[in-house]
Amino acid sequence: MKTVQSYIIDLLFEQDCVVIPDFGGFIINSRSAGLDKMERFMSPPQKWLAFNELLKSDDGLLSSYISGCQKISREEAVVQIKKFVEQTRKSVKLNESVYIANLGTFTLNAEQKLQFQPDPKMNFLTESFGMDNIKLKYFTPLKLKKAKKFRL
């Protein structure tokens, strides 16, 4: 059986925002291909993840998706989500940081607010699947010899 986190990941490939009721929301942000001249690499376009703890209202997206995939009622899906939230909150308080595979790491700051660091290897842009950074080599332009002038 798939986990709640795997359903969240599935939805993030299709949606720009996935709210986990009473926990927070994951938001997709886009970045175009980039060029780092100092480090000499080019990165592919990317959709990366942010987290907003203030997004707590249940929009029904996650529970509907889980209930549809597992062929269970929405109420049963909501129970699974609540267990995920309780387990994650408890783990963050006990361990001070929790890594959720393919999403990122949750920690608590000094004010006991959730902080999120996305998994840097995860790219939610399907068009960039399999693309990695390209290391650039130094380029030295060729010097062309002057052509001799000739008359017709």
PDB file of all heavy atoms in Angstrom, residues 8-26:
ATOM      1  N   ILE A   8       1.179  12.502  -1.963  1.00  0.00           N
ATOM      2  CA  ILE A   8       1.506  13.928  -2.037  1.00  0.00           C
ATOM      3  C   ILE A   8       2.443  14.175  -3.220  1.00  0.00           C
ATOM      4  O   ILE A   8       2.233  15.097  -4.010  1.00  0.00           O
ATOM      5  CB  ILE A   8       2.162  14.403  -0.715  1.00  0.00           C
ATOM      6  CG1 ILE A   8       1.156  14.339   0.427  1.00  0.00           C
ATOM      7  CG2 ILE A   8       2.736  15.814  -0.863  1.00  0.00           C
ATOM      8  CD1 ILE A   8       1.764  14.503   1.814  1.00  0.00           C
ATOM      9  N   ILE A   9       3.448  13.332  -3.361  1.00  0.00           N
ATOM     10  CA  ILE A   9       4.407  13.469  -4.468  1.00  0.00           C
ATOM     11  C   ILE A   9       3.698  13.317  -5.813  1.00  0.00           C
ATOM     12  O   ILE A   9       3.924  14.106  -6.735  1.00  0.00           O
ATOM     13  CB  ILE A   9       5.560  12.460  -4.317  1.00  0.00           C
ATOM     14  CG1 ILE A   9       6.418  12.839  -3.108  1.00  0.00           C
ATOM     15  CG2 ILE A   9       6.413  12.392  -5.580  1.00  0.00           C
ATOM     16  CD1 ILE A   9       7.371  11.773  -2.645  1.00  0.00           C
ATOM     17  N   ASP A  10       2.822  12.313  -5.933  1.00  0.00           N
ATOM     18  CA  ASP A  10       2.049  12.130  -7.171  1.00  0.00           C
ATOM     19  C   ASP A  10       1.300  13.405  -7.533  1.00  0.00           C
ATOM     20  O   ASP A  10       1.325  13.854  -8.684  1.00  0.00           O
ATOM     21  CB  ASP A  10       1.041  10.986  -7.024  1.00  0.00           C
ATOM     22  CG  ASP A  10       1.685   9.614  -6.942  1.00  0.00           C
ATOM     23  OD1 ASP A  10       2.901   9.495  -7.195  1.00  0.00           O
ATOM     24  OD2 ASP A  10       0.951   8.652  -6.615  1.00  0.00           O
ATOM     25  N   LEU A  11       0.625  13.990  -6.543  1.00  0.00           N
ATOM     26  CA  LEU A  11      -0.171  15.195  -6.794  1.00  0.00           C
ATOM     27  C   LEU A  11       0.699  16.399  -7.163  1.00  0.00           C
ATOM     28  O   LEU A  11       0.289  17.240  -7.960  1.00  0.00           O
ATOM     29  CB  LEU A  11      -1.034  15.530  -5.576  1.00  0.00           C
ATOM     30  CG  LEU A  11      -2.280  14.672  -5.407  1.00  0.00           C
ATOM     31  CD1 LEU A  11      -2.928  14.931  -4.044  1.00  0.00           C
ATOM     32  CD2 LEU A  11      -3.278  14.948  -6.524  1.00  0.00           C
ATOM     33  N   LEU A  12       1.886  16.479  -6.583  1.00  0.00           N
ATOM     34  CA  LEU A  12       2.760  17.623  -6.872  1.00  0.00           C
ATOM     35  C   LEU A  12       3.259  17.635  -8.308  1.00  0.00           C
ATOM     36  O   LEU A  12       3.659  18.678  -8.823  1.00  0.00           O
ATOM     37  CB  LEU A  12       3.938  17.657  -5.894  1.00  0.00           C
ATOM     38  CG  LEU A  12       3.567  18.097  -4.478  1.00  0.00           C
ATOM     39  CD1 LEU A  12       4.716  17.834  -3.516  1.00  0.00           C
ATOM     40  CD2 LEU A  12       3.153  19.558  -4.464  1.00  0.00           C
ATOM     41  N   PHE A  13       3.236  16.488  -8.978  1.00  0.00           N
ATOM     42  CA  PHE A  13       3.582  16.459 -10.394  1.00  0.00           C
ATOM     43  C   PHE A  13       2.436  17.002 -11.257  1.00  0.00           C
ATOM     44  O   PHE A  13       2.638  17.359 -12.406  1.00  0.00           O
ATOM     45  CB  PHE A  13       3.939  15.043 -10.843  1.00  0.00           C
ATOM     46  CG  PHE A  13       5.349  14.654 -10.530  1.00  0.00           C
ATOM     47  CD1 PHE A  13       5.627  13.790  -9.488  1.00  0.00           C
ATOM     48  CD2 PHE A  13       6.411  15.162 -11.257  1.00  0.00           C
ATOM     49  CE1 PHE A  13       6.936  13.431  -9.186  1.00  0.00           C
ATOM     50  CE2 PHE A  13       7.721  14.815 -10.968  1.00  0.00           C
ATOM     51  CZ  PHE A  13       7.974  13.953  -9.928  1.00  0.00           C
ATOM     52  N   GLU A  14       1.230  17.070 -10.689  1.00  0.00           N
ATOM     53  CA  GLU A  14       0.052  17.517 -11.437  1.00  0.00           C
ATOM     54  C   GLU A  14      -0.498  18.860 -10.966  1.00  0.00           C
ATOM     55  O   GLU A  14      -1.112  19.577 -11.736  1.00  0.00           O
ATOM     56  CB  GLU A  14      -1.058  16.471 -11.310  1.00  0.00           C
ATOM     57  CG  GLU A  14      -0.683  15.102 -11.832  1.00  0.00           C
ATOM     58  CD  GLU A  14      -1.721  14.041 -11.491  1.00  0.00           C
ATOM     59  OE1 GLU A  14      -2.803  14.397 -10.980  1.00  0.00           O
ATOM     60  OE2 GLU A  14      -1.446  12.863 -11.734  1.00  0.00           O
ATOM     61  N   GLN A  15      -0.314  19.183  -9.693  1.00  0.00           N
ATOM     62  CA  GLN A  15      -0.904  20.377  -9.086  1.00  0.00           C
ATOM     63  C   GLN A  15       0.193  21.331  -8.627  1.00  0.00           C
ATOM     64  O   GLN A  15       1.307  20.913  -8.326  1.00  0.00           O
ATOM     65  CB  GLN A  15      -1.763  19.984  -7.866  1.00  0.00           C
ATOM     66  CG  GLN A  15      -2.831  18.963  -8.144  1.00  0.00           C
ATOM     67  CD  GLN A  15      -3.944  19.508  -9.011  1.00  0.00           C
ATOM     68  OE1 GLN A  15      -4.333  20.674  -8.903  1.00  0.00           O
ATOM     69  NE2 GLN A  15      -4.462  18.673  -9.895  1.00  0.00           N
ATOM     70  N   ASP A  16      -0.156  22.617  -8.516  1.00  0.00           N
ATOM     71  CA  ASP A  16       0.803  23.611  -8.035  1.00  0.00           C
ATOM     72  C   ASP A  16       0.800  23.747  -6.515  1.00  0.00           C
ATOM     73  O   ASP A  16       1.692  24.362  -5.943  1.00  0.00           O
ATOM     74  CB  ASP A  16       0.524  24.981  -8.650  1.00  0.00           C
ATOM     75  CG  ASP A  16       0.907  25.029 -10.109  1.00  0.00           C
ATOM     76  OD1 ASP A  16       1.775  24.238 -10.532  1.00  0.00           O
ATOM     77  OD2 ASP A  16       0.335  25.860 -10.843  1.00  0.00           O
ATOM     78  N   CYS A  17      -0.213  23.198  -5.860  1.00  0.00           N
ATOM     79  CA  CYS A  17      -0.311  23.296  -4.406  1.00  0.00           C
ATOM     80  C   CYS A  17      -1.037  22.070  -3.867  1.00  0.00           C
ATOM     81  O   CYS A  17      -2.081  21.678  -4.399  1.00  0.00           O
ATOM     82  CB  CYS A  17      -1.058  24.567  -4.015  1.00  0.00           C
ATOM     83  SG  CYS A  17      -1.201  24.813  -2.238  1.00  0.00           S
ATOM     84  N   VAL A  18      -0.484  21.474  -2.824  1.00  0.00           N
ATOM     85  CA  VAL A  18      -1.131  20.352  -2.144  1.00  0.00           C
ATOM     86  C   VAL A  18      -1.149  20.680  -0.660  1.00  0.00           C
ATOM     87  O   VAL A  18      -0.097  20.844  -0.039  1.00  0.00           O
ATOM     88  CB  VAL A  18      -0.398  19.018  -2.388  1.00  0.00           C
ATOM     89  CG1 VAL A  18      -1.032  17.897  -1.583  1.00  0.00           C
ATOM     90  CG2 VAL A  18      -0.392  18.672  -3.869  1.00  0.00           C
ATOM     91  N   VAL A  19      -2.366  20.786  -0.115  1.00  0.00           N
ATOM     92  CA  VAL A  19      -2.536  21.116   1.292  1.00  0.00           C
ATOM     93  C   VAL A  19      -2.713  19.832   2.094  1.00  0.00           C
ATOM     94  O   VAL A  19      -3.505  18.964   1.724  1.00  0.00           O
ATOM     95  CB  VAL A  19      -3.765  22.036   1.498  1.00  0.00           C
ATOM     96  CG1 VAL A  19      -4.012  22.286   2.977  1.00  0.00           C
ATOM     97  CG2 VAL A  19      -3.566  23.352   0.752  1.00  0.00           C
ATOM     98  N   ILE A  20      -1.957  19.754   3.195  1.00  0.00           N
ATOM     99  CA  ILE A  20      -2.129  18.662   4.146  1.00  0.00           C
ATOM    100  C   ILE A  20      -2.869  19.278   5.324  1.00  0.00           C
ATOM    101  O   ILE A  20      -2.310  20.110   6.041  1.00  0.00           O
ATOM    102  CB  ILE A  20      -0.775  18.066   4.584  1.00  0.00           C
ATOM    103  CG1 ILE A  20      -0.064  17.512   3.359  1.00  0.00           C
ATOM    104  CG2 ILE A  20      -0.971  16.963   5.598  1.00  0.00           C
ATOM    105  CD1 ILE A  20       1.346  17.873   3.304  1.00  0.00           C
ATOM    106  N   PRO A  21      -4.133  18.900   5.500  1.00  0.00           N
ATOM    107  CA  PRO A  21      -4.955  19.535   6.537  1.00  0.00           C
ATOM    108  C   PRO A  21      -4.285  19.514   7.915  1.00  0.00           C
ATOM    109  O   PRO A  21      -3.698  18.520   8.321  1.00  0.00           O
ATOM    110  CB  PRO A  21      -6.234  18.696   6.546  1.00  0.00           C
ATOM    111  CG  PRO A  21      -6.280  18.073   5.191  1.00  0.00           C
ATOM    112  CD  PRO A  21      -4.854  17.855   4.790  1.00  0.00           C
ATOM    113  N   ASP A  22      -4.366  20.642   8.605  1.00  0.00           N
ATOM    114  CA  ASP A  22      -3.812  20.831   9.950  1.00  0.00           C
ATOM    115  C   ASP A  22      -2.294  20.656  10.010  1.00  0.00           C
ATOM    116  O   ASP A  22      -1.734  20.383  11.068  1.00  0.00           O
ATOM    117  CB  ASP A  22      -4.484  19.898  10.965  1.00  0.00           C
ATOM    118  CG  ASP A  22      -5.972  20.157  11.085  1.00  0.00           C
ATOM    119  OD1 ASP A  22      -6.363  21.338  11.062  1.00  0.00           O
ATOM    120  OD2 ASP A  22      -6.738  19.186  11.204  1.00  0.00           O
ATOM    121  N   PHE A  23      -1.629  20.806   8.876  1.00  0.00           N
ATOM    122  CA  PHE A  23      -0.175  20.678   8.845  1.00  0.00           C
ATOM    123  C   PHE A  23       0.454  21.807   8.044  1.00  0.00           C
ATOM    124  O   PHE A  23       1.325  22.510   8.521  1.00  0.00           O
ATOM    125  CB  PHE A  23       0.221  19.319   8.260  1.00  0.00           C
ATOM    126  CG  PHE A  23       1.677  19.014   8.350  1.00  0.00           C
ATOM    127  CD1 PHE A  23       2.266  18.713   9.572  1.00  0.00           C
ATOM    128  CD2 PHE A  23       2.482  19.017   7.221  1.00  0.00           C
ATOM    129  CE1 PHE A  23       3.622  18.428   9.673  1.00  0.00           C
ATOM    130  CE2 PHE A  23       3.839  18.726   7.307  1.00  0.00           C
ATOM    131  CZ  PHE A  23       4.406  18.435   8.534  1.00  0.00           C
ATOM    132  N   GLY A  24       0.040  21.969   6.792  1.00  0.00           N
ATOM    133  CA  GLY A  24       0.592  22.999   5.921  1.00  0.00           C
ATOM    134  C   GLY A  24       0.460  22.602   4.472  1.00  0.00           C
ATOM    135  O   GLY A  24      -0.063  21.537   4.155  1.00  0.00           O
ATOM    136  N   GLY A  25       0.939  23.447   3.592  1.00  0.00           N
ATOM    137  CA  GLY A  25       0.799  23.190   2.166  1.00  0.00           C
ATOM    138  C   GLY A  25       2.119  23.240   1.437  1.00  0.00           C
ATOM    139  O   GLY A  25       2.983  24.065   1.733  1.00  0.00           O
ATOM    140  N   PHE A  26       2.268  22.336   0.485  1.00  0.00           N
ATOM    141  CA  PHE A  26       3.425  22.331  -0.402  1.00  0.00           C
ATOM    142  C   PHE A  26       3.061  23.128  -1.636  1.00  0.00           C
ATOM    143  O   PHE A  26       1.998  22.938  -2.222  1.00  0.00           O
ATOM    144  CB  PHE A  26       3.805  20.905  -0.801  1.00  0.00           C
ATOM    145  CG  PHE A  26       4.410  20.107   0.310  1.00  0.00           C
ATOM    146  CD1 PHE A  26       3.680  19.139   0.962  1.00  0.00           C
ATOM    147  CD2 PHE A  26       5.719  20.333   0.706  1.00  0.00           C
ATOM    148  CE1 PHE A  26       4.232  18.402   1.989  1.00  0.00           C
ATOM    149  CE2 PHE A  26       6.288  19.603   1.727  1.00  0.00           C
ATOM    150  CZ  PHE A  26       5.537  18.637   2.376  1.00  0.00           C
TER     151      PHE A  26
END
